[in-house]
Amino acid sequence: ADYVKALKLWREASYVVPPTADADAVSTKCLALNNCAQVALKLGNNAACLAMCDDILAMEAGNVKALDRRGCAAHKLGPKELPRLESAQRDLAAAVDAAAQSSVTPAFVA
């Protein structure tokens, strides 16, 4: 798979939606950013994944995929980033709670 190209295309797609868009457009932007975050995670760019998930969660606080991905990225950073590791535990617990109320299963549970 060409993850670098995928990251570029998903990032471009996320730029199309203005920050002051309606709820449907914001949902679409979050979808694009979630895909960017997943690709960044696959590429091992955990810092980029964290930043994208932070952006998503600023728009949709309970976004299961963003919580899951941010938690996974923080976990991969490991003990050198202890505050992020602790936040990873909170994110992953929140993802499980949010998933219980939706049809999305966090990747670390599946």
Side-chain angles (χ1 to χ4, degrees):
D2 189 350
Y3 291 123
V4 173
K5 183 176 181 181
L7 182 60
K8 178 181 180 281
L9 293 172
W10 280 116
R11 191 169 278 152
E12 288 173 5
S14 74
Y15 295 147
V16 172
V17 181
T20 57
D22 64 24
D24 287 339
V26 168
S27 182
T28 300
K29 184 177 188 83
C30 288
L31 172 73
L33 285 172
N34 257 315
N35 287 330
C36 282
Q38 180 64 29
V39 173
L41 196 58
K42 287 210 178 267
L43 289 171
N45 193 343
N46 299 312
C49 180
L50 289 170
M52 287 179 241
C53 290
D54 287 344
D55 290 346
I56 295 163
L57 293 165
M59 292 181 274
E60 291 182 352
N63 189 296
V64 176
K65 288 183 178 183
L67 287 165
D68 176 41
R69 290 174 181 148
R70 187 170 74 173
C72 289
H75 181 263
K76 286 181 178 187
L77 287 172
K80 66 181 178 183
E81 293 270 342
L82 186 58
R84 278 293 192 178
L85 191 56
E86 291 168 351
S87 73
Q89 293 170 329
R90 287 190 301 274
D91 285 345
L92 296 173
V96 170
D97 291 343
Q101 301 172 22
S102 76
S103 62
V104 177
T105 302
F108 68 91
V109 174

